[in-house]
Amino acid sequence: MSEVVKLERHDVIAIVTVDSPPVNALSAAVRGGIFECMKTAIADPEVKAIVLTCGGRTFIAGADITEFGKPPKPPGLAEVLVLMENSPKPIVAAIHGTALGGGLEVALACHYRVAVKEARLGLPEVKLGLLPGAGGTQRLPRAVGPELAVKMIVGGDPISAAEALKNGLIEEIVEGPASGGEAFARKLVSEKRPLRRLRDDDSKLAAAKADISIFTNAVAAMTKKARGLEAPFAAADAVRAAIELPFDEGLKKEREGFLKLVSSDQSKAQRYAFFAEREASKIAGVPDGTKPRKVDRVAIIGAGTMGGGIAMSFANAGIPVTLIETTDEALKRGMGIMQKNWEATAARGGIPADAPAKRMALIDGKVGLENVKDADLVIEAVFETMAVKKEVFGKLDQFAKPGAVLASNTSYLNIDEIAKETKRPQDVLGMHFFSPANVMKLCEIVRADKTAPDALSTAVAISRKIAKVPAVVGVCDGFVGNRMLAQRGKQSEKLLFEGALPQQVDAVVTKFGMPMGPFAMSDLAGLDIGWRSRKDRGIKSEIADALCEAGRFGQKTGKGYYKYEGGSRSPLSDPDVEKVIDETLQKLGKKRRTVSDEEILERMMYPMINEGARILEEGIAARPSDIDVIWLYGYGWPIYRGGPMFWADSVGLKHIADRLSHYAKETNDPSLEPAPLLKRLAAEGKTFASLAEKSKAA
Ligand code: 3HC
Ligand code: NAI
């Protein structure tokens, strides 16, 4: 018998159990085990029905992603599924945890499916740049109809057991997977129910066969946000084949699509991102088995833009929050914004109608820092001034309970300095969320000099619990993300002085796949903040200063680097801005030149990568993949390009180093010279991926 798949017989019912931790992925051993056990059970004359179930925390969570790109090992999944679907004895999939990708495809090849109430079922392959490659695009539309199938296959999000039941994907919700599956199988036997093979059942395709717009409309809705991605469109084509072609031809079409995607650069990048995200949760230098501290209640200081969003993230995950402000008025304003945000989401159908009230009930608004006393984790999100932060942490030291983790959401400030205000620097760290904090998934976790390992693992664990993606970084100005972004900001500003226009620079950046260009982003954040800070420091930036002097503060005044008409947030090119640029350059005696899109892209991206190399060298990030995770989840870096460091490897580090040297000379900017690490890797013909882990964050 197989190591990872077991066969038992309970009189007439055979039970096939997959037990391959952590997630029962369909490795060659699992495929082979299922194949052998099914063959034996089918051949056993005593057996009347078969149950397929899993041990551990989940049903099969999909193909083994680590096997992609390697030579295939028999048996192929398709072969296993043909054996199962053609079985003359009914097979019941008994699902718990998550039946995902190849896992759900295995269940779809069974004749019946049951699941426990907490189970989730989905085909998330598009999120890995793939499409379901084992019949999912053909069988799921036959099980639930093309509309829901498109939603699940092209969108990639799983559905609940209740939704699966309502739509005919499962037959019953059961208490325990193995016992429930067995009871269901006995019922099949005693009722002599016929086999239900999805491949032979086209009933749910009839409406879309008669009117294909049912399908095309569903695809249009699901691909609205799929800009630049290949997989959602290829997946939709495969579903269309289910409607238009006989089953076997549809399967062939699906296979072709899958094979094309599995070797594509996009899927390689997306698979890399999947593992990078998981790798980022492993904190370099923290001993294995370090236990996170218990977090039952969180206190958040400041109910402004960030504090409110952070509080929402905790309440969304069911964790009680004490939200603390300086005045009743500020508190009321903050609470009001949260309520409005949730109500808007509920009105769009994004959360149940009673969720806003339930979530608000988890948030206890208070005035005065003494109210942190019951919290296991305190997150400070007050104004970005060292003096204010120090005062707050001094008081937290007085009021917080022993062992509470004390975090700052500062964007730039030195956590070591903040920690010194307390007598418990081992409990102090940074938790840098990104705006809007209830939406953006990244949390940069800043490890200060004295932060204790278990405080750090508490921050990582709680971030994951509230559905954020944590990445541990060291202390420096702007940490990883904002420090790299500053390099891009410097270049985008310089490009205006050389002849480029904001809309040209932004177009290059958005065409690359970023959600916004640097100038549209500045307009969103507000130009006046930088202007005031420059004035305080006696620094000039003549074009930005001239725009601010003309009252152009960005979106908030309807004008900035762009104009915004009728309260819209869509940036429109403005000839007045070009005039301001021309006049400023004339005053400075500078001439505009034509700047190519290629130069813009290189000067936007390569200096950031150079800074990433410095960050790695200083050990501020433990691995290049952590930097990529930060850009993917904090700044909307296009997932199909893997992240800046992954992308740099694909461009070639020698080319990047050469171009940086070129721009350093051309623009008389020595800061653009390649960082020593980049230079070394380029000279050795190596990649960032080749670097071993090494870090100050370690
Ligand atoms: N293959 C290989 N390893 C996998 C895996 C997979 N499909 N899914 C998860 N793992 C690994 C993770 O890398 C991680 O390893 P680590 O502990 O060494 O870091 C471990 O399993 C646990 O994973 P998570 O940390 O993600 O555990 P969670 O409990 O948070 O989540 C999960 C579990 C929801 C199953 C999540 O892991 C997940 O979404 N997995 C991917 C599911 C997926 O995309 N399936 C489709 C695969 S493609 C496919 O099936 C093609 C088919 O159509 C032919
Ligand atoms: P904000 O100005 O919107 O909110 C700050 C809130 O803190 C105000 O409501 C204020 O009344 C309150 N506050 C000030 N002192 C307090 C005290 N002693 N006790 C209790 N409440 C107090 O500021 P925002 O934008 O939310 O920023 C907060 C922090 O988050 C800053 O450190 C900022 O750098 C950081 N941050 C901001 C991001 C952004 O995009 N706005 C992104 C990531 C981090």
Side-chain angles (χ1 to χ4, degrees), residues 374-522:
D374 297 324
D376 306 297
L377 165 67
V378 182
I379 302 175
E380 163 279 309
V382 304
F383 306 128
E384 183 76 348
T385 319
M386 186 51 104
V388 180
K389 303 272 191 207
K390 281 187 168 173
E391 193 194 327
V392 167
F393 272 79
K395 288 197 181 137
L396 290 182
D397 197 31
Q398 281 175 41
F399 298 125
K401 66 161 120 161
V405 173
L406 309 180
S408 171
N409 181 50
T410 177
S411 311
Y412 293 92
L413 301 173
N414 187 317
I415 307 282
D416 288 325
E417 219 177 294
I418 294 174
K420 280 192 195 132
E421 292 302 305
T422 72
K423 287 185 227 51
R424 38 174 134 178
Q426 72 280 4
D427 296 334
V428 179
L429 44 75
M431 282 181 82
H432 181 210
F433 292 86
F434 286 68
S435 180
N438 54 320
V439 177
M440 296 304 287
K441 288 186 75 180
L442 178 66
C443 183
E444 270 185 335
I445 295 179
V446 189
R447 174 184 217 157
D449 257 0
K450 300 218 162 86
T451 308
D454 67 334
L456 208 55
S457 63
T458 307
V460 167
I462 197 77
S463 304
R464 288 196 73 173
K465 199 158 171 195
I466 61 170
K468 301 290 176 201
V469 180
V472 177
V473 301
V475 172
C476 66
D477 189 33
F479 314 118
V480 171
N482 285 343
R483 178 171 158 182
M484 286 168 72
L485 187 69
Q487 295 301 321
R488 191 183 81 174
K490 200 169 132 190
Q491 290 303 313
S492 56
E493 199 183 329
K494 276 172 74 173
L495 281 164
L496 296 190
F497 287 92
E498 293 173 37
L501 291 174
Q503 54 269 30
Q504 188 194 359
V505 175
D506 281 1
V508 169
V509 171
T510 51
K511 191 168 161 229
F512 179 81
M514 300 297 295
M516 247 188 198
F519 294 105
M521 208 163 135
S522 298

Side-chain angles (χ1 to χ4, degrees), residues 22-23 25-26 57-58 61-66 68 77 98 100-103 105 123-125 128 130-134 255 258 274-275 278-279 282 464:
V23 296
L26 289 160
R57 67 204 220 209
T58 179
D64 185 337
I65 306 168
T66 59
F68 292 147
L77 186 53
T98 43
L100 297 177
E105 292 175 299
L123 291 174
E125 283 87 342
L128 298 170
L130 297 170
L131 56 81
R255 192 77 207 143
F258 179 83
F274 175 85
F275 289 112
R278 275 145 191 88
E279 197 63 18
K282 293 169 196 152
R464 288 196 73 173

Side-chain angles (χ1 to χ4, degrees), residues 563-579:
K563 58 183 175 187
Y564 301 85
E565 282 174 357
S568 153
R569 286 164 174 265
S570 309
L572 300 170
S573 305
D574 188 345
D576 288 351
V577 173
E578 190 167 354
K579 226 168 98 195

Side-chain angles (χ1 to χ4, degrees), residues 16 25 98 221 252 263 267 303 351 381 435 440 443 486 515 517 526 608 652 681 689 696:
V16 176
T98 43
K252 229 175 97 197
S263 56
S267 178
I351 51 172
S435 180
M440 296 304 287
C443 183
M608 290 206 312
L681 291 174
K696 192 165 154 193

